[in-house]
Coordinates of all heavy atoms in Angstrom, one line a residue:
M1 N 166.2 155.4 40.4 CA 166.0 155.6 39.0 C 165.1 154.5 38.5 O 165.4 153.3 38.8 CB 167.3 155.7 38.3 CG 167.1 155.9 36.8 SD 168.7 155.8 35.9 CE 169.7 157.1 36.6
V2 N 164.1 154.8 37.7 CA 163.3 153.7 37.1 C 163.4 153.8 35.6 O 163.3 154.9 35.0 CB 161.8 154.0 37.4 CG1 160.9 153.0 36.6 CG2 161.5 153.8 38.9
I3 N 163.8 152.7 35.0 CA 163.8 152.7 33.5 C 162.9 151.6 33.0 O 162.6 150.6 33.8 CB 165.2 152.5 32.9 CG1 165.7 151.1 33.2 CG2 166.2 153.5 33.4 CD1 166.6 150.6 32.1
Y4 N 162.5 151.7 31.8 CA 161.6 150.6 31.2 C 162.4 149.9 30.1 O 162.9 150.5 29.2 CB 160.4 151.2 30.6 CG 159.3 150.2 30.2 CD1 158.7 149.5 31.2 CD2 159.0 149.9 28.9 CE1 157.7 148.5 31.0 CE2 158.0 148.9 28.6 CZ 157.4 148.2 29.6 OH 156.4 147.3 29.3
D5 N 162.7 148.6 30.3 CA 163.4 147.8 29.3 C 162.4 147.2 28.4 O 161.7 146.3 28.7 CB 164.2 146.7 30.0 CG 165.1 146.0 29.1 OD1 164.8 145.9 27.9 OD2 166.2 145.5 29.5
Y6 N 162.3 147.8 27.2 CA 161.3 147.4 26.2 C 161.6 146.0 25.6 O 160.7 145.4 25.1 CB 161.2 148.4 25.1 CG 160.5 149.7 25.4 CD1 161.3 150.8 26.0 CD2 159.2 149.9 25.2 CE1 160.7 151.9 26.4 CE2 158.6 151.1 25.6 CZ 159.3 152.1 26.2 OH 158.7 153.3 26.6
D7 N 162.8 145.6 25.7 CA 163.2 144.3 25.1 C 162.6 143.1 25.9 O 162.3 142.1 25.3 CB 164.7 144.1 25.0 CG 165.3 145.1 24.1 OD1 164.6 145.5 23.1 OD2 166.5 145.5 24.2
I8 N 162.5 143.2 27.2 CA 162.1 142.1 28.0 C 160.6 141.8 28.0 O 160.2 140.7 27.7 CB 162.7 142.2 29.5 CG1 164.3 142.1 29.3 CG2 162.2 141.1 30.4 CD1 165.0 142.2 30.6
P9 N 159.7 142.7 28.2 CA 159.8 144.0 28.8 C 159.7 144.0 30.3 O 159.0 143.1 30.9 CB 158.6 144.8 28.2 CG 157.6 143.7 28.0 CD 158.3 142.4 27.8
E10 N 160.3 145.0 31.0 CA 160.2 145.0 32.5 C 160.6 146.4 33.0 O 161.3 147.2 32.2 CB 161.1 144.0 33.1 CG 162.6 144.3 33.0 CD 163.5 143.3 33.7 OE1 163.1 142.2 34.0 OE2 164.7 143.7 33.8
Y11 N 160.2 146.7 34.2 CA 160.6 147.9 34.9 C 161.9 147.6 35.6 O 161.9 146.6 36.4 CB 159.6 148.5 35.8 CG 158.5 149.2 35.1 CD1 157.4 148.5 34.6 CD2 158.5 150.5 34.8 CE1 156.4 149.1 33.9 CE2 157.5 151.2 34.1 CZ 156.5 150.4 33.6 OH 155.5 151.1 32.9
D12 N 162.9 148.4 35.5 CA 164.2 148.2 36.3 C 164.4 149.3 37.3 O 164.2 150.5 36.9 CB 165.4 148.2 35.3 CG 165.4 146.9 34.4 OD1 164.8 145.9 34.8 OD2 165.9 147.0 33.3
I13 N 164.8 149.0 38.5 CA 165.1 150.0 39.5 C 166.6 150.0 39.6 O 167.2 149.0 39.9 CB 164.4 149.6 40.9 CG1 162.9 149.5 40.7 CG2 164.8 150.6 41.9 CD1 162.2 148.9 41.9
W14 N 167.2 151.2 39.5 CA 168.6 151.3 39.5 C 169.0 152.3 40.6 O 168.2 153.3 40.9 CB 169.1 151.9 38.2 CG 169.2 151.0 37.0 CD1 168.8 149.7 37.0 CD2 169.6 151.3 35.7 NE1 169.0 149.1 35.8 CE2 169.4 150.1 34.9 CE3 170.1 152.4 35.1 CZ2 169.8 150.0 33.6 CZ3 170.4 152.3 33.7 CH2 170.3 151.1 33.0
H15 N 170.2 152.1 41.2 CA 170.8 153.1 42.0 C 170.0 153.5 43.3 O 169.8 154.6 43.6 CB 171.1 154.4 41.3 CG 171.9 154.2 40.0 ND1 173.1 153.4 40.0 CD2 171.8 154.6 38.8 CE1 173.5 153.4 38.8 NE2 172.8 154.1 38.0
M16 N 169.4 152.5 43.9 CA 168.7 152.7 45.1 C 169.7 153.0 46.2 O 170.5 152.1 46.6 CB 167.9 151.4 45.4 CG 167.2 151.3 46.7 SD 165.7 152.3 46.7 CE 165.3 152.2 48.4
M17 N 169.7 154.2 46.8 CA 170.7 154.5 47.8 C 170.2 155.7 48.7 O 169.6 156.6 48.2 CB 172.1 154.7 47.3 CG 172.2 155.8 46.2 SD 173.8 155.9 45.5 CE 173.8 154.7 44.3
M18 N 170.5 155.6 49.9 CA 170.3 156.7 50.9 C 171.6 157.2 51.4 O 172.5 156.4 51.6 CB 169.5 156.2 52.1 CG 168.1 155.9 51.9 SD 167.2 157.3 51.5 CE 166.0 156.6 50.2
D19 N 171.7 158.5 51.7 CA 172.9 159.0 52.3 C 173.2 158.3 53.6 O 172.3 157.9 54.3 CB 172.7 160.5 52.6 CG 174.0 161.2 53.0 OD1 174.3 161.1 54.2 OD2 174.6 161.8 52.2
S20 N 174.5 158.0 53.8 CA 174.8 157.1 55.0 C 174.3 157.7 56.3 O 174.0 157.0 57.2 CB 176.3 156.8 55.0 OG 177.0 158.1 55.0
S21 N 174.3 159.0 56.4 CA 173.8 159.7 57.6 C 172.3 159.5 57.8 O 171.8 159.8 58.9 CB 174.2 161.1 57.6 OG 173.5 161.8 56.6
E22 N 171.6 159.1 56.8 CA 170.1 159.0 56.9 C 169.7 157.6 56.8 O 168.4 157.3 56.8 CB 169.5 159.8 55.8 CG 169.8 161.3 55.8 CD 169.3 162.0 57.1 OE1 168.4 161.6 57.7 OE2 169.9 163.1 57.4
Q23 N 170.6 156.6 56.8 CA 170.2 155.2 56.7 C 169.6 154.7 58.0 O 169.9 155.2 59.1 CB 171.4 154.3 56.3 CG 171.8 154.6 54.9 CD 173.1 153.8 54.5 OE1 173.5 152.9 55.2 NE2 173.6 154.2 53.3
G24 N 168.7 153.7 57.9 CA 168.1 153.1 59.1 C 167.0 153.9 59.7 O 166.5 153.6 60.8
K25 N 166.5 154.9 59.0 CA 165.4 155.8 59.5 C 164.1 155.5 58.8 O 163.1 156.2 59.0 CB 165.8 157.2 59.3 CG 167.0 157.7 60.1 CD 167.3 159.2 59.9 CE 168.5 159.6 60.7 NZ 168.8 161.0 60.4
G26 N 164.0 154.5 57.9 CA 162.8 154.1 57.3 C 162.6 154.7 55.9 O 161.7 154.5 55.2
Y27 N 163.6 155.6 55.5 CA 163.5 156.3 54.2 C 163.6 155.3 53.0 O 162.9 155.5 52.0 CB 164.5 157.4 54.0 CG 164.4 158.5 55.0 CD1 165.5 159.0 55.7 CD2 163.1 159.1 55.3 CE1 165.4 160.1 56.6 CE2 163.0 160.1 56.2 CZ 164.1 160.6 56.8 OH 164.0 161.6 57.7
G28 N 164.5 154.3 53.1 CA 164.6 153.3 52.1 C 163.3 152.6 51.8 O 162.9 152.4 50.6
K29 N 162.7 152.1 52.8 CA 161.5 151.4 52.7 C 160.4 152.2 52.1 O 159.7 151.8 51.2 CB 161.0 150.9 54.1 CG 160.1 149.7 54.1 CD 159.6 149.2 55.4 CE 160.4 149.4 56.6 NZ 159.9 148.8 57.8
E30 N 160.3 153.5 52.6 CA 159.3 154.4 52.1 C 159.6 154.7 50.6 O 158.6 154.8 49.8 CB 159.3 155.7 52.9 CG 158.3 156.8 52.5 CD 156.9 156.4 52.6 OE1 156.6 155.5 53.4 OE2 156.0 157.0 51.9
A31 N 160.8 155.0 50.3 CA 161.2 155.3 48.9 C 160.8 154.1 47.9 O 160.3 154.3 46.9 CB 162.7 155.6 48.8
L32 N 161.2 152.9 48.4 CA 160.9 151.8 47.5 C 159.4 151.6 47.3 O 158.9 151.3 46.2 CB 161.5 150.5 48.1 CG 161.6 149.3 47.3 CD1 162.3 149.6 45.9 CD2 162.4 148.2 48.0
N33 N 158.6 151.8 48.4 CA 157.2 151.7 48.3 C 156.6 152.7 47.3 O 155.8 152.4 46.5 CB 156.5 152.0 49.7 CG 156.0 150.8 50.3 OD1 155.5 149.9 49.7 ND2 156.2 150.7 51.6
R34 N 157.2 153.9 47.3 CA 156.7 154.9 46.4 C 157.1 154.6 45.0 O 156.3 154.9 44.0 CB 157.2 156.3 46.8 CG 156.6 156.8 48.1 CD 156.9 158.2 48.4 NE 156.4 158.6 49.7 CZ 156.2 159.9 50.1 NH1 156.4 160.9 49.3 NH2 155.8 160.1 51.3
V35 N 158.3 154.1 44.8 CA 158.8 153.7 43.5 C 157.8 152.6 42.9 O 157.4 152.7 41.8 CB 160.2 153.2 43.5 CG1 160.6 152.5 42.3 CG2 161.2 154.4 43.7
L36 N 157.5 151.6 43.8 CA 156.6 150.5 43.3 C 155.2 151.0 43.0 O 154.6 150.6 42.1 CB 156.6 149.4 44.3 CG 158.0 148.6 44.4 CD1 158.0 147.7 45.5 CD2 158.3 147.9 43.1
E37 N 154.8 152.0 43.8 CA 153.4 152.6 43.5 C 153.5 153.3 42.2 O 152.5 153.2 41.4 CB 153.0 153.6 44.6 CG 152.4 152.9 45.8 CD 152.2 153.9 47.0 OE1 152.1 155.1 46.7 OE2 152.1 153.5 48.1
Y38 N 154.5 154.0 41.9 CA 154.7 154.7 40.6 C 154.7 153.7 39.5 O 154.0 153.9 38.5 CB 156.0 155.5 40.7 CG 156.4 156.2 39.4 CD1 155.6 157.1 38.8 CD2 157.6 155.8 38.7 CE1 155.9 157.7 37.6 CE2 157.9 156.4 37.5 CZ 157.1 157.3 36.9 OH 157.5 157.9 35.8
I39 N 155.5 152.7 39.6 CA 155.7 151.7 38.5 C 154.3 151.0 38.3 O 154.0 150.7 37.2 CB 156.7 150.6 38.9 CG1 158.1 151.3 38.9 CG2 156.7 149.5 37.9 CD1 159.2 150.3 39.3
S40 N 153.5 150.8 39.4 CA 152.2 150.2 39.3 C 151.3 150.9 38.4 O 150.3 150.4 37.9 CB 151.6 149.9 40.6 OG 152.4 149.0 41.4
T41 N 151.5 152.2 38.2 CA 150.7 153.0 37.3 C 151.1 152.8 35.8 O 150.5 153.4 34.9 CB 150.8 154.6 37.6 OG1 152.1 155.0 37.2 CG2 150.5 154.8 39.1
K42 N 152.1 152.0 35.6 CA 152.6 151.6 34.3 C 152.9 152.8 33.4 O 152.3 153.0 32.3 CB 151.5 150.7 33.6 CG 151.1 149.5 34.4 CD 152.1 148.4 34.4 CE 151.7 147.2 35.2 NZ 150.6 146.4 34.6
P43 N 153.7 153.7 33.9 CA 154.0 155.0 33.2 C 154.6 154.8 31.8 O 154.4 155.7 30.9 CB 154.9 155.7 34.1 CG 155.6 154.7 35.0 CD 154.6 153.6 35.1
F44 N 155.3 153.7 31.5 CA 156.1 153.6 30.3 C 155.6 152.4 29.4 O 155.8 152.4 28.2 CB 157.6 153.5 30.5 CG 158.1 154.6 31.3 CD1 158.8 154.3 32.5 CD2 158.0 155.9 31.0 CE1 159.3 155.3 33.3 CE2 158.5 156.9 31.7 CZ 159.2 156.6 32.9
G45 N 155.0 151.4 30.1 CA 154.6 150.2 29.3 C 153.9 149.3 30.2 O 153.8 149.5 31.4
N46 N 153.3 148.2 29.7 CA 152.3 147.4 30.4 C 152.9 146.2 31.2 O 152.2 145.4 31.8 CB 151.3 146.9 29.4 CG 149.9 146.7 30.0 OD1 149.7 147.4 31.0 ND2 149.1 145.9 29.5
S47 N 154.2 146.1 31.2 CA 154.8 144.9 31.9 C 154.5 144.9 33.4 O 154.4 146.0 34.0 CB 156.4 145.0 31.8 OG 156.9 143.9 32.5
D48 N 154.3 143.7 33.9 CA 153.9 143.6 35.3 C 155.2 143.2 36.2 O 155.0 142.8 37.3 CB 152.9 142.4 35.4 CG 152.0 142.6 36.6 OD1 151.8 143.7 37.1 OD2 151.5 141.6 37.1
R49 N 156.3 143.2 35.5 CA 157.6 142.7 36.2 C 158.5 143.9 36.6 O 158.7 144.8 35.7 CB 158.3 141.8 35.2 CG 159.6 141.2 35.7 CD 160.2 140.4 34.7 NE 161.7 140.3 34.8 CZ 162.3 139.2 35.4 NH1 161.6 138.2 35.9 NH2 163.6 139.2 35.5
A50 N 158.9 143.9 37.8 CA 159.9 144.9 38.3 C 161.2 144.1 38.7 O 161.0 143.1 39.4 CB 159.4 145.7 39.4
A51 N 162.3 144.6 38.3 CA 163.6 143.9 38.6 C 164.7 144.8 39.0 O 164.6 146.0 38.7 CB 164.0 143.1 37.4
L52 N 165.6 144.3 39.8 CA 166.8 145.1 40.2 C 167.9 144.1 40.4 O 167.7 142.9 40.4 CB 166.4 145.9 41.5 CG 165.8 145.1 42.6 CD1 166.8 144.3 43.4 CD2 165.1 146.1 43.6
T53 N 169.1 144.6 40.6 CA 170.2 143.8 41.0 C 170.7 144.2 42.4 O 170.6 145.4 42.8 CB 171.4 143.8 40.0 OG1 171.9 145.1 39.9 CG2 170.9 143.3 38.7
C54 N 171.3 143.3 43.1 CA 171.7 143.5 44.5 C 173.0 142.8 44.8 O 173.2 141.6 44.3 CB 170.6 143.0 45.4 SG 170.9 143.2 47.2
G55 N 173.9 143.4 45.4 CA 175.2 142.8 45.8 C 174.9 141.5 46.6 O 174.1 141.5 47.5
K56 N 175.7 140.4 46.3 CA 175.4 139.2 47.0 C 175.6 139.3 48.5 O 175.0 138.5 49.2 CB 176.4 138.1 46.4 CG 176.1 137.6 45.1 CD 177.1 136.6 44.6 CE 176.8 136.1 43.2 NZ 177.8 135.3 42.6
N57 N 176.5 140.2 48.9 CA 176.8 140.3 50.4 C 176.0 141.4 51.0 O 176.2 141.8 52.2 CB 178.3 140.5 50.6 CG 179.1 139.4 50.1 OD1 178.7 138.2 50.2 ND2 180.2 139.7 49.4
N58 N 175.1 142.1 50.2 CA 174.4 143.3 50.7 C 173.1 142.8 51.5 O 172.0 142.9 50.9 CB 174.1 144.2 49.6 CG 173.6 145.6 50.1 OD1 173.3 145.7 51.3 ND2 173.6 146.5 49.2
T59 N 173.3 142.3 52.7 CA 172.1 141.6 53.3 C 171.1 142.6 53.7 O 169.9 142.3 53.7 CB 172.6 140.9 54.6 OG1 173.4 141.7 55.4 CG2 173.4 139.6 54.2
V60 N 171.5 143.9 54.1 CA 170.5 144.9 54.4 C 169.5 145.1 53.3 O 168.3 145.1 53.4 CB 171.1 146.2 54.9 CG1 170.1 147.3 55.0 CG2 171.9 146.0 56.2
A61 N 170.1 145.4 52.1 CA 169.3 145.7 50.9 C 168.5 144.4 50.5 O 167.3 144.5 50.2 CB 170.2 146.1 49.7
M62 N 169.1 143.3 50.5 CA 168.4 142.1 50.1 C 167.2 141.8 51.0 O 166.1 141.4 50.5 CB 169.4 140.9 50.2 CG 169.1 139.8 49.2 SD 170.2 138.4 49.2 CE 171.7 139.2 48.6
K63 N 167.4 142.0 52.3 CA 166.2 141.7 53.2 C 165.1 142.7 52.9 O 163.9 142.4 52.9 CB 166.7 141.9 54.6 CG 167.3 140.6 55.2 CD 167.5 140.8 56.7 CE 168.4 139.7 57.2 NZ 169.0 140.0 58.6
L64 N 165.5 144.0 52.7 CA 164.5 145.0 52.4 C 163.7 144.6 51.1 O 162.5 144.6 51.1 CB 165.2 146.3 52.2 CG 164.4 147.5 51.6 CD1 163.2 147.9 52.6 CD2 165.2 148.7 51.4
Y65 N 164.4 144.2 50.1 CA 163.8 143.8 48.8 C 162.9 142.6 49.0 O 161.8 142.5 48.5 CB 164.8 143.5 47.7 CG 165.7 144.7 47.4 CD1 167.0 144.5 47.1 CD2 165.1 146.0 47.3 CE1 167.8 145.6 46.8 CE2 165.9 147.1 47.0 CZ 167.3 146.9 46.7 OH 168.1 148.0 46.4
E66 N 163.4 141.6 49.8 CA 162.6 140.4 50.0 C 161.3 140.7 50.8 O 160.2 140.2 50.5 CB 163.4 139.4 50.8 CG 164.4 138.6 49.9 CD 165.3 137.8 50.7 OE1 165.3 137.8 52.0 OE2 166.1 137.0 50.1
R67 N 161.4 141.6 51.8 CA 160.2 142.0 52.5 C 159.2 142.7 51.6 O 158.0 142.7 51.9 CB 160.5 142.9 53.7 CG 160.8 142.1 55.0 CD 160.8 143.0 56.2 NE 161.7 144.1 56.1 CZ 163.0 144.0 56.4 NH1 163.5 142.9 56.8 NH2 163.8 145.1 56.3
M68 N 159.6 143.4 50.6 CA 158.8 144.1 49.6 C 158.2 143.1 48.6 O 157.4 143.5 47.8 CB 159.5 145.1 48.9 CG 160.0 146.3 49.8 SD 158.5 147.3 50.2 CE 159.4 148.7 50.9
G69 N 158.6 141.8 48.6 CA 158.1 140.9 47.7 C 159.0 140.4 46.6 O 158.6 139.6 45.8
F70 N 160.2 141.0 46.5 CA 161.2 140.6 45.5 C 161.8 139.2 45.9 O 161.9 138.9 47.1 CB 162.3 141.6 45.4 CG 162.0 142.9 44.7 CD1 161.4 143.9 45.4 CD2 162.3 143.0 43.4 CE1 161.1 145.1 44.8 CE2 162.0 144.2 42.7 CZ 161.4 145.3 43.4
S71 N 162.1 138.4 44.9 CA 162.8 137.2 45.2 C 163.9 137.0 44.1 O 163.8 137.5 43.0 CB 161.9 136.0 45.3 OG 161.1 135.9 44.1
A72 N 164.9 136.2 44.5 CA 166.0 136.0 43.5 C 165.5 135.2 42.3 O 164.8 134.3 42.5 CB 167.1 135.3 44.2
T73 N 165.9 135.6 41.1 CA 165.5 134.9 39.9 C 166.4 133.8 39.6 O 166.1 133.0 38.7 CB 165.5 135.9 38.7 OG1 166.8 136.3 38.4 CG2 164.6 137.1 39.0
G74 N 167.6 133.8 40.2 CA 168.6 132.8 39.8 C 169.7 133.3 38.9 O 170.8 132.8 38.7
A75 N 169.4 134.5 38.3 CA 170.3 135.1 37.4 C 171.4 135.9 38.2 O 171.1 136.5 39.2 CB 169.6 136.1 36.4
E76 N 172.7 135.8 37.8 CA 173.8 136.4 38.5 C 174.7 137.1 37.5 O 174.8 136.6 36.4 CB 174.6 135.4 39.3 CG 173.8 134.7 40.4 CD 174.7 133.8 41.3 OE1 175.9 133.9 41.1 OE2 174.1 133.1 42.1
D77 N 175.4 138.1 38.0 CA 176.4 138.8 37.1 C 177.5 139.2 38.1 O 177.3 140.1 38.8 CB 175.8 140.0 36.4 CG 176.8 140.6 35.5 OD1 177.8 140.0 35.1 OD2 176.6 141.8 35.1
E78 N 178.6 138.5 38.0 CA 179.8 138.7 38.9 C 179.3 138.7 40.4 O 178.8 137.7 40.8 CB 180.5 140.0 38.5 CG 181.1 139.9 37.1 CD 181.8 141.2 36.7 OE1 181.9 142.2 37.5 OE2 182.3 141.1 35.6
D79 N 179.4 139.8 41.1 CA 179.0 139.8 42.5 C 177.6 140.3 42.8 O 177.2 140.6 43.9 CB 180.0 140.6 43.4 CG 180.0 142.1 42.9 OD1 179.5 142.4 41.8 OD2 180.6 142.9 43.6
E80 N 176.7 140.3 41.7 CA 175.4 140.8 41.9 C 174.4 139.7 41.5 O 174.6 138.9 40.6 CB 175.1 142.0 40.9 CG 176.0 143.1 41.0 CD 175.4 144.3 41.7 OE1 174.2 144.6 41.4 OE2 176.0 144.9 42.6
I81 N 173.3 139.7 42.2 CA 172.2 138.8 41.8 C 171.0 139.6 41.3 O 170.8 140.8 41.7 CB 171.7 137.9 43.0 CG1 171.1 138.7 44.2 CG2 172.8 137.0 43.5 CD1 170.3 137.9 45.2
E82 N 170.2 139.0 40.5 CA 169.0 139.7 40.0 C 167.8 139.3 40.9 O 167.7 138.1 41.3 CB 168.7 139.3 38.6 CG 167.4 140.0 38.1 CD 166.9 139.4 36.7 OE1 166.7 138.2 36.6 OE2 166.8 140.2 35.8
M83 N 167.0 140.3 41.3 CA 165.8 140.0 42.1 C 164.6 140.6 41.3 O 164.7 141.7 40.7 CB 165.8 140.6 43.5 CG 167.0 140.0 44.3 SD 167.1 140.7 45.9 CE 165.9 139.7 46.8
A84 N 163.4 140.0 41.4 CA 162.3 140.5 40.6 C 161.0 140.3 41.4 O 160.9 139.5 42.4 CB 162.2 139.8 39.3
L85 N 160.0 141.0 41.0 CA 158.7 141.0 41.7 C 157.6 141.2 40.6 O 157.8 141.9 39.6 CB 158.7 142.1 42.7 CG 157.4 142.8 43.1 CD1 157.6 143.3 44.6 CD2 157.2 144.0 42.3
T86 N 156.5 140.5 40.8 CA 155.3 140.7 40.0 C 154.5 141.8 40.6 O 154.1 141.7 41.8 CB 154.5 139.4 39.8 OG1 155.3 138.4 39.3 CG2 153.3 139.6 38.9
L87 N 154.2 142.9 39.9 CA 153.7 144.1 40.5 C 152.4 143.9 41.2 O 152.1 144.4 42.2 CB 153.5 145.2 39.4 CG 154.8 145.9 39.0 CD1 154.6 146.6 37.7 CD2 155.4 146.7 40.1
S88 N 151.5 143.0 40.7 CA 150.3 142.7 41.3 C 150.4 142.1 42.7 O 149.5 142.0 43.5 CB 149.4 141.9 40.4 OG 150.1 140.7 40.0
Q89 N 151.7 141.5 42.9 CA 151.9 140.9 44.2 C 152.7 141.8 45.2 O 153.2 141.3 46.2 CB 152.7 139.6 44.0 CG 151.8 138.5 43.3 CD 152.7 137.4 42.7 OE1 153.9 137.3 42.9 NE2 152.0 136.5 42.0
H90 N 152.9 143.0 44.8 CA 153.7 144.0 45.6 C 153.0 144.1 47.0 O 151.8 144.4 47.1 CB 153.7 145.3 44.9 CG 154.1 146.5 45.8 ND1 153.5 147.7 45.6 CD2 154.9 146.6 46.8 CE1 154.0 148.6 46.5 NE2 154.9 147.9 47.2
K91 N 153.8 143.9 48.1 CA 153.3 143.9 49.4 C 153.2 145.3 49.9 O 154.1 146.1 49.7 CB 154.2 143.1 50.4 CG 154.2 141.6 50.1 CD 155.2 140.9 50.9 CE 155.3 139.5 50.5 NZ 156.5 138.8 51.1
Ligands
COA1 C1 169.8 149.7 51.2 C2 169.3 151.1 51.6 C3 168.9 151.9 50.3 C4 168.2 151.0 52.6 O1 167.8 152.3 52.9 P1 167.5 152.7 54.5 O2 166.9 154.1 54.4 O3 168.7 152.6 55.3 O4 166.4 151.6 54.8 P2 165.3 151.7 56.0 O5 165.7 152.6 57.0 O6 164.0 151.9 55.3 O7 165.4 150.2 56.6 C5 164.9 149.1 55.9 C6 165.3 147.9 56.7 O8 166.7 147.7 56.7 C7 167.1 147.6 58.1 N1 168.4 148.3 58.1 C8 168.7 149.6 57.6 N2 170.0 149.8 57.8 C9 170.5 148.8 58.5 C10 171.8 148.4 59.0 N3 172.9 149.3 58.8 N4 172.0 147.2 59.6 C11 171.0 146.4 59.7 N5 169.7 146.6 59.3 C12 169.5 147.8 58.7 C13 166.1 148.4 58.9 O9 166.1 148.0 60.2 C14 164.8 148.0 58.2 O10 164.4 146.7 58.6 P3 162.9 146.6 59.2 O11 161.9 146.8 58.1 O12 162.9 145.1 59.7 O13 162.8 147.6 60.3 C15 170.5 151.9 52.3 O14 171.0 151.2 53.3 C16 171.6 152.2 51.3 O15 171.6 153.3 50.6 N6 172.7 151.4 51.3 C17 173.9 151.7 50.6 C18 173.6 151.6 49.1 C19 173.1 150.3 48.7 O16 173.6 149.2 49.2 N7 172.0 150.3 47.9 C20 171.4 149.0 47.5 C21 171.9 148.6 46.1 S1 171.2 147.1 45.6

């Protein structure tokens, strides 16, 4: 799910998930690439920032996000960290 937070402003990616029987087949990477391509068209607003939250212990997801160019912002909420990317730097 992609939402646009007009207050910051930024694009937020929510609920990134693949069915457990289909994980590890490259769909997550492909889906995230397509989501970032979509966001890069700036469908809701002109922000260049994309952000998401990731469980602190979710190493599979965290590595995937890091390979796509996301990095931890330092912001945390309970067991989740915030990660963000500048769209023009999307790998
Ligand atoms: C995170 C998630 C969306 C990734 O989707 P996916 O379709 O499994 O990911 P891909 O198949 O594209 O793999 C992406 C990378 O993760 C690695 N990976 C995937 N599943 C893995 C596993 N169980 N163990 C170790 N590495 C794994 C792949 O090897 C790949 O790495 P590579 O680029 O070096 O080859 C999926 O695992 C998922 O839905 N997890 C449960 C929900 C969740 O945690 N969502 C994230 C919320 S922040």
